[in-house]
């Protein structure tokens, strides 16, 4: 495979390494004599000379788990699939807020947006995966009239929100504001069970990236 970005190359390497070994570190013996100066772009070096990711840890873990299920051959397809699902969620979200015509036109604009295409095909950068997970999460969170299936929507919404945050934790502030606004808007339709269905998977999705930081 050929990648255009060093971050893509590094992400692909660490995803495959995680699938094969379950680890996010690799020994580099030459660093013992090179004073930790040896590492490729988008890699970091620990104090003992091991190579570790310097990119988006949550992204590597998320795609690593998917690759464990669907094989490493599928790694480059995860982002385009998420992008396609997000386009469908975008239509459903705007249809709920506006009407079917506005939702359809807006969805066409998103689907053929050059940046959306480029970063979907540049599939091992986290940009589209992050935005797609947020769109999917918000769409599912607003499905309060889904009957008995509403619990599943809220659970998956929380999982998607947690995965998005684990990919780009620096976005925490504005994501918290957005979700707080949505929850306030839905205040009359939620209870503590639904809130837990959202928060528990969100926290569980973020936890692995926090856990692996210690290594």
């Amino acid at each position: 495979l050929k990648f255009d970005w060093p971050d893509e190359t590094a992400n692909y390497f660490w995803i495959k390494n995680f699938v094969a070994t379950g680890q996010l570190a690799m020994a580099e013996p030459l660093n013992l004599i090179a004073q930790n100066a040896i590492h490729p772009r988008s890699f970091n070096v620990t104090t003992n000379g091991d190579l570790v990711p310097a990119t988006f840890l949550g992204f590597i873990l998320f795609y690593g788990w998917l690759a464990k299920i669907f094989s490493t051959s599928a790694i480059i397809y995860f982002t385009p699939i998420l992008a396609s699902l997000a386009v469908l969620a975008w239509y459903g979200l705007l249809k709920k807020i506006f009407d079917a015509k506005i939702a359809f036109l807006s969805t066409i604009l998103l689907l053929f947006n050059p940046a959306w295409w480029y970063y979907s095909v540049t599939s091992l950068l986290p940009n589209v995966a992050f935005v797609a997970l947020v769109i999917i999460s918000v769409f599912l969170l607003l499905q309060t009239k889904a009957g008995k299936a509403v619990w599943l929507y809220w659970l998956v919404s929380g999982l998607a929100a947690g995965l998005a945050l684990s990919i780009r934790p620096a976005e925490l502030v504005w994501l918290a504001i957005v979700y707080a606004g949505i929850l306030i808007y839905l205040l009359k339709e939620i209870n503590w069970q639904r809130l837990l269905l959202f928060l528990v998977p969100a926290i569980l999705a973020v936890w692995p990236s926090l856990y692996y930081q210690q290594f």
Side-chain angles (χ1 to χ4, degrees):
L1 296 174
K2 178 181 177 181
F3 300 109
D4 295 331
W5 293 65
D7 280 358
E8 273 199 292
T9 306
N11 286 336
Y12 184 73
F13 172 85
W14 286 115
I15 291 167
K16 289 196 70 175
N17 188 74
F18 180 71
V19 173
T21 68
Q23 302 296 319
L24 288 175
M26 186 181 72
E28 175 47 77
L30 291 177
N31 271 325
L32 296 175
I33 57 175
Q35 299 181 338
N36 295 346
I38 299 174
H39 65 89
R41 166 98 177 250
S42 302
F43 283 57
N44 247 332
V45 184
T46 64
T47 54
N48 64 357
D50 288 348
L51 301 180
V52 293
T55 55
F56 301 88
L57 190 58
F59 181 78
I60 293 168
L61 291 170
F62 177 36
Y63 277 26
W65 289 322
L66 289 177
K68 284 177 180 285
I69 299 171
F70 298 106
S71 88
T72 55
S73 300
I75 292 172
I76 60 172
Y77 301 108
F78 296 149
T79 296
I81 290 170
L82 279 174
S84 302
L85 293 174
V87 167
L88 297 175
W90 182 249
Y91 173 78
L93 180 61
L94 294 186
K95 185 179 178 182
K96 188 177 183 67
I97 299 173
F98 301 106
D99 58 41
K101 184 177 180 180
I102 291 176
F104 177 75
L105 292 175
S106 299
T107 302
I108 293 298
L109 290 173
L110 173 61
L111 181 61
F112 291 102
N113 184 295
W116 193 255
W117 275 80
Y118 176 75
Y119 285 108
S120 296
V121 175
T122 312
S123 61
L124 290 180
L125 293 180
N127 310 59
V128 166
F130 169 76
V131 175
L133 286 167
V134 172
I135 292 173
I136 292 168
S137 174
V138 172
F139 166 71
L140 293 173
L141 192 59
L142 291 173
Q143 305 309 303
T144 56
K145 307 294 186 183
K148 293 182 179 180
V150 71
W151 69 270
L152 180 60
Y153 288 153
W154 277 59
L155 189 148
V156 178
S157 174
L159 180 63
L163 288 171
L165 183 58
S166 74
I167 290 173
R168 295 191 68 96
E171 317 297 340
L172 173 62
V173 174
W174 74 262
L175 280 179
I177 294 172
V178 168
Y179 281 99
I182 294 172
L183 292 175
I184 291 171
Y185 171 74
L186 297 175
L187 196 58
K188 294 181 179 179
E189 302 183 56
I190 63 176
N191 49 40
W192 66 269
Q193 292 99 329
R194 288 187 180 183
L195 198 57
L196 284 177
L197 279 171
F198 176 81
L199 291 176
V200 170
I203 294 170
L204 291 176
V206 172
W207 176 252
S209 62
L210 298 177
Y211 172 78
Y212 274 93
Q213 286 288 349
Q214 65 184 304
F215 303 107

